[in-house]
Amino acid sequence: MPSSDVTPLLSKDGIVSSNEKPTNGNIIGGSGKNHYGAAKKAESSYYEFTPVLLSWENVVVRGAAKRQSGEKSSWLRRNGKKDVEYGELVGESKEILRSVTGIAEPGTLTAIMGASGAGKTTLLNTLNLRSREGLEVSGSILVNGRPIGHQMARLSAYVQQDDLFLSNLTVTEHLTFQAWVRMDKEIPMKSRLRRVSDVIRALGLSKCANTVIGNPDRGIKGISGGERKRLSFASEVLTNPALMFCDEPTSGLDSYMAQNVVSTLRDLASEGRTILSTIHQPSSEVFAMFDRILLIAEGRTAFIGTTKEAQSFFAELGYTCPKNYNPADFFIQTLAIVPGEEAECKQKVEAVTDAYDASAKARKIREKIPPTMCDTLLALDDEEEKSPYKASWCEQFKACTWRAFLNNRREPLMTTVRFSQTLLIALILGLVFLHQHVNQEGIQNINGFLFILITNSAFSNTFAAVQIFPLEMALIKREHFNGMYRIDTVFLSKVIVELPFQYIFLPTIFMTIPYWLIGLYPYFANYVVACVITILLTNAAVSFGYLLSALSGTVPIALAITPPLLLPFMLFGGLFINLSDIPLYLRWVSRLSWFSYSFEALLINQWGEIDNIGCPPNGTVSCIRTGDMVLESYSFKASDYATDFIGLVCLIVGYRLLSFFVLLFRCRRKK
C-alpha cells in the first residue's frame, strides 16, 4: 500500500486546488523556476533535461518478405543457403520508407503530415525505436550525434493514439502511480507528489484532479475527451523527457479540444523539448500552432520546414495554395494518391520529392545533421536492455497492489453485484433443499446440492476471471514495455487484491447459508472443513479462468471457449458418471478437474462419520445403510481425503503458474 505521503495529495482539498489555473513558464521544465520558490531549486535538479537534437539520415523501412516453408527450404536454411529454385522468399519486401532524412530541433513542435498510407506512423515508430516487429530498418538515427539504442525509451516519451487508463482511478491517483514506478529511485516520495501537483497545474487538470477517469464504452462517467488526452501528456511529462513523440493526439476530438491539446504541446515545446507529432487533417488554427511540418508522400520526404517555407516551395513547383484555404488540406490533397489516377498522382509525388531532395532546403537540413560521435552509450544500452525498470521489484509490487485495490474497490461488478448474486443463490439453494434428513431420499438431495454448489462456483468464478486480462492486456503491455513494472508484480497484485473478498469471503458466505438451512452434518468442525473446500474449489476455478483469460485475445473469445472446456471437467466430476466407469484413456481428465476432488472431499466430510442411515420398511430398492456405502456408490474412498485437498492446492498453483507463463510469453519483449 502507498505510504502516508500519498494521503495529502489524495484528500478532498489536497495539494491541487480546483480554482488554480495553468501557469505559464517552466513550472514543469528543467529551469528550476517554479511556484515553490528558491527553496525548491535543489529539488528541481531531479527534473532538468539536456535539450535534444534528433536526426535521421537515409532511413529505409521495408516490410519483411514472407518465407516459404518446406522440406527443401528448411534443409537449405540449416545449411546457410538460399532456395532460389523453390522460392524461399515469397514476394518482394515492400519499401514503406525510402531514404528519409531530417532533423527535429530543441524547442520545436513538428507536425508529421501526409495522406493515408504515406508512412507517417511508421516514421514515428521508427524514430522512437518501437513497433518494429516484422520490419527491416536501415539508416542512422542519432540523438545529439549519438546512436542511442534502447536508451531512447528512458530519454523520450511516447503519447500513443489510444488513451489507456484504469477507469476507476482519479486523475491524481493515476499520476501518483505513474510517479511511483516511472521516476528515478533517488527522488523522495514527497518530491514525486509535488511533481504530480506541478504537472496537474501545468496541464490544466486541477478541476478534474479528484474525478475518476471513467470509460464511456462501459458507461462509467468521468473526465472529458480533451482532459483524457491532456492526462496522457501529463503521464509522460512526469519524468520531464527532453524528446516527445505523439501519434494522432487530436484524433476523435472536436476543433476546440484539438486546438486545446495542440496548445498544450506548444507550451511543452516552448520549454526546450523536441516534439514530433503525426496529425490528420488539422484545422487552420491548429496547423498554425506548429513550428515546422514534415510532409511524407509515398514513403519519401516531400518537405521539412516552416509552413510559410512549405507554401513557397510548392508555389515554385506550380502548386499554389488558394487564399482562405487551409494549407494542411492543400498539402495533403496535393500529395494524395487518388483512386483511378494512381499513375499520374505517383508521378506528381515523385516530382515533388525529387525537387525537395535537390533543393537548397534539403542541403541545409543535411548540413545540420551532426557527424556520428563515438558509441560510448552502447555499453549503457546493453545495461538498459537488462534492467529497463526504474522502480525496484518491491516498489513495483506495492504500487501495482495499491492501484489494483483502488480500482477493485470502486468496481460495482466486483462488489455489490457479486455479493448480491452470491447471497441470492445461496438463499435459493438453502430454501429448495430445506431441512434434509439422513435417509435414502436425503442422500440424493444432499449430494445433488453439493454438486450444484460446486458447479455454480466453477462457472460463475471462471466466467468472471476469463474477462480480466483481455480487458487490460493492452494497458499491461504498454506499461510493461515502457519499463513501469514486471509482469509478475502486476499478476501477483491482482491475485492478492481479489483474494480476501472475492475468493475467501464470498465462498464462505455461499457455503454458510445453505449449510445450516439444509441441515448438513451438524458439527462445527465439519462446517469449517466444508467452507475450506469451497474456498479451494473457488480458487481452482479462478485459476483456470486466469489461464483461459491469458490465452484469449478478446472477451468474446474467452467467453466462447470457456463452456466447452468446463464441460468435460463437470462430466467427470463423479456425479454423472461413476469414476470406475470412465475409460482409462480419459481418466486423466478427472485428475485435472476440481469437480472430482471437491465433490469427493465434500461427500467424505458429509458422510464419512455417519454409521446409520434409515431404510424404509419393506423397501424394494437396495438400501444404503452407512456413509461408507454412499462413498462406495460413487467409487470414492475415505482414505483419499487428504489427496483431495492436495489435488485442489496443486490445481490452484498449477493453473496460476501456467496462466502467468502464458501472460509472460504474450508480453515478452521482441527484438
Side-chain angles (χ1 to χ4, degrees):
M1 294 296 147
S3 65
S4 58
D5 295 332
V6 180
T7 306
L9 189 64
L10 305 183
S11 62
K12 183 176 180 181
D13 300 325
I15 298 175
V16 182
S17 174
S18 62
N19 57 2
E20 290 171 335
K21 297 180 179 180
T23 308
N24 293 327
N26 295 324
I27 68 170
I28 61 175
S31 69
K33 299 177 182 179
N34 56 37
H35 65 284
Y36 287 110
K40 299 303 175 188
K41 277 191 176 182
E43 183 178 300
S44 69
S45 63
Y46 291 133
Y47 315 118
E48 293 178 352
F49 61 82
T50 302
V52 162
L53 171 65
L54 178 67
S55 61
W56 57 97
E57 188 172 12
N58 297 326
V59 173
V60 177
V61 179
R62 294 184 178 90
K66 297 181 180 179
R67 299 191 178 272
Q68 178 176 314
S69 60
E71 184 177 350
K72 186 170 183 180
S73 295
S74 300
W75 181 88
L76 288 169
R77 280 195 294 271
R78 289 196 301 270
N79 290 273
K81 300 180 180 180
K82 295 286 185 179
D83 186 357
V84 179
E85 178 182 357
Y86 283 79
E88 184 183 42
L89 295 178
V90 180
E92 297 181 356
S93 60
K94 177 185 177 182
E95 280 192 338
I96 304 174
L97 295 179
R98 299 183 286 165
S99 299
V100 177
T101 299
I103 61 171
E105 297 176 299
T108 60
L109 174 60
T110 302
I112 302 176
M113 297 175 54
S116 298
K120 303 186 298 296
T121 302
T122 300
L123 175 61
L124 191 73
N125 291 334
T126 301
L127 294 179
N128 63 38
L129 308 181
R130 308 185 193 204
S131 302
R132 288 187 171 187
E133 183 182 2
L135 299 177
E136 298 176 357
V137 181
S138 62
S140 65
I141 300 173
L142 306 176
V143 173
N144 291 340
R146 297 174 185 255
I148 205 72
H150 287 279
Q151 290 271 345
M152 182 68 80
R154 181 181 291 269
L155 176 72
S156 65
Y158 186 20
V159 181
Q160 300 187 45
Q161 183 175 353
D162 298 327
D163 303 321
L164 300 177
F165 306 105
L166 288 183
S167 55
N168 294 312
L169 295 184
T170 66
V171 169
T172 302
E173 289 166 351
H174 169 78
L175 292 177
T176 300
F177 172 80
Q178 297 282 322
W180 200 339
V181 296
R182 296 185 67 175
M183 299 180 73
D184 292 331
K185 298 177 183 178
E186 63 268 15
I187 302 178
M189 180 58 78
K190 289 183 179 179
S191 299
R192 300 187 195 198
L193 298 183
R194 278 192 287 268
R195 176 68 176 167
V196 170
S197 179
D198 287 343
V199 170
I200 287 176
R201 288 187 181 95
L203 295 181
L205 294 171
S206 296
K207 291 184 179 180
C208 61
N210 297 312
T211 304
V212 295
I213 298 172
N215 188 339
D217 295 335
R218 299 181 57 195
I220 302 176
K221 294 183 179 180
I223 59 179
S224 67
E227 289 168 338
R228 289 175 68 90
K229 186 58 67 176
R230 291 205 301 274
L231 181 58
S232 295
F233 296 145
S235 303
E236 301 300 333
V237 170
L238 274 175
T239 56
N240 207 37
L243 177 61
M244 291 185 67
F245 301 94
C246 304
D247 186 16
E248 299 282 0
T250 60
S251 177
L253 301 179
D254 57 42
S255 58
Y256 172 77
M257 284 297 180
Q259 188 173 350
N260 192 293
V261 166
V262 177
S263 176
T264 301
L265 287 176
R266 174 67 266 165
D267 293 339
L268 294 173
S270 66
E271 296 177 356
R273 293 181 179 83
T274 305
I275 303 180
L276 291 92
S277 173
T278 60
I279 193 162
H280 183 66
Q281 289 186 329
S283 64
S284 56
E285 292 84 0
V286 169
F287 180 74
M289 293 182 184
F290 287 93
D291 299 305
R292 295 185 177 184
I293 59 172
L294 194 168
L295 296 175
I296 297 291
E298 290 294 290
R300 296 182 62 186
T301 305
F303 187 80
I304 299 179
T306 64
T307 56
K308 291 183 179 179
E309 292 173 339
Q311 294 185 58
S312 300
F313 172 76
F314 276 81
E316 292 174 359
L317 298 178
Y319 304 105
T320 303
C321 179
K323 292 183 178 180
N324 301 323
Y325 196 84
N326 186 353
D329 293 336
F330 170 75
F331 294 139
I332 292 175
Q333 291 173 8
T334 302
L335 299 173
I337 305 299
V338 180
E341 303 176 10
E342 288 84 358
E344 296 84 350
C345 292
K346 288 183 179 181
Q347 185 177 0
K348 178 175 62 175
V349 167
E350 289 296 321
V352 171
T353 53
D354 288 342
Y356 170 75
D357 289 339
S359 66
K361 183 66 177 177
R363 288 195 298 272
K364 290 181 181 179
I365 292 292
R366 293 191 184 96
E367 291 172 358
K368 288 184 179 181
I369 297 177
T372 304
M373 300 173 64
C374 60
D375 298 344
T376 53
L377 291 181
L378 293 183
L380 293 175
D381 178 45
D382 294 337
E383 180 181 349
E384 173 67 13
E385 186 176 355
K386 294 179 181 177
S387 180
Y389 309 104
K390 292 187 177 181
S392 65
W393 190 94
C394 291
E395 290 300 315
Q396 293 175 32
F397 176 71
K398 287 192 292 184
C400 290
T401 303
W402 174 71
R403 182 175 71 163
F405 172 76
L406 291 176
N407 189 61
N408 280 15
R409 187 181 66 179
R410 299 182 184 136
E411 181 60 62
L413 183 62
M414 302 299 288
T415 53
T416 307
V417 174
R418 290 291 301 277
F419 178 76
S420 302
Q421 180 189 54
T422 300
L423 199 65
L424 180 61
I425 296 177
L427 284 172
I428 291 174
L429 291 177
L431 294 175
V432 169
F433 294 93
L434 187 65
H435 298 316
Q436 294 297 321
H437 300 286
V438 181
N439 52 29
Q440 301 303 303
E441 293 80 8
I443 294 173
Q444 178 181 349
N445 296 340
I446 290 174
N447 293 349
F449 156 73
L450 293 176
F451 200 84
I452 290 175
L453 181 140
I454 296 169
T455 302
N456 182 80
S457 297
F459 277 83
S460 61
N461 288 286
T462 303
F463 273 96
V466 295
Q467 304 180 53
I468 293 176
F469 293 121
L471 290 174
E472 300 181 13
M473 182 61 72
L475 177 64
I476 292 174
K477 280 186 175 182
R478 178 179 296 183
E479 293 179 339
H480 172 62
F481 292 153
N482 286 340
M484 294 172 60
Y485 50 69
R486 294 172 173 84
I487 294 300
D488 54 347
T489 58
V490 70
F491 183 81
L492 286 174
S493 67
K494 283 189 168 297
V495 171
I496 290 176
V497 166
E498 294 174 352
L499 184 64
F501 180 77
Q502 300 290 335
Y503 309 131
I504 293 180
F505 176 72
L506 289 184
T508 302
I509 293 295
F510 193 54
M511 173 56 80
T512 299
I513 294 175
Y515 192 95
W516 301 108
L517 287 176
I518 294 173
L520 301 183
Y521 198 73
Y523 282 88
F524 185 75
N526 294 73
Y527 156 72
V528 172
V529 170
C531 291
V532 171
I533 296 171
T534 308
I535 292 171
L536 291 176
L537 74 90
T538 298
N539 280 273
V542 170
S543 301
F544 186 70
Y546 281 163
L547 177 58
L548 300 184
S549 179
L551 288 169
S552 304
T554 63
V555 172
I557 291 176
L559 296 177
I561 66 176
T562 299
L565 292 176
L566 279 180
L567 185 60
F569 291 163
M570 183 178 69
L571 292 177
F572 295 153
L575 179 69
F576 299 107
I577 183 172
N578 197 289
L579 293 182
S580 61
D581 296 331
I582 299 176
L584 290 176
Y585 60 88
L586 290 177
R587 197 163 294 179
W588 60 271
V589 178
S590 65
R591 297 299 92 189
L592 299 177
S593 169
W594 59 92
F595 286 86
S596 175
Y597 292 116
S598 56
F599 190 47
E600 183 176 35
L602 286 172
L603 259 60
I604 294 172
N605 184 65
Q606 170 64 27
W607 303 105
E609 299 179 15
I610 295 179
D611 297 327
N612 184 25
I613 299 176
C615 295
N618 301 322
T620 58
V621 181
S622 59
C623 181
I624 299 177
R625 298 182 179 276
T626 65
D628 289 338
M629 293 178 66
V630 175
L631 299 177
E632 290 174 4
S633 66
Y634 291 95
S635 298
F636 291 153
K637 299 178 182 178
S639 58
D640 291 337
Y641 201 28
T643 304
D644 294 327
F645 284 90
I646 295 173
L648 287 172
V649 172
C650 289
L651 289 180
I652 294 172
V653 175
Y655 283 137
R656 295 205 181 189
L657 282 177
L658 281 175
S659 60
F660 167 69
F661 286 126
V662 171
L663 192 65
L664 193 65
F665 177 78
R666 293 188 62 187
C667 297
R668 71 193 185 281
R669 296 180 184 273
K670 300 177 182 178
K671 300 295 182 183

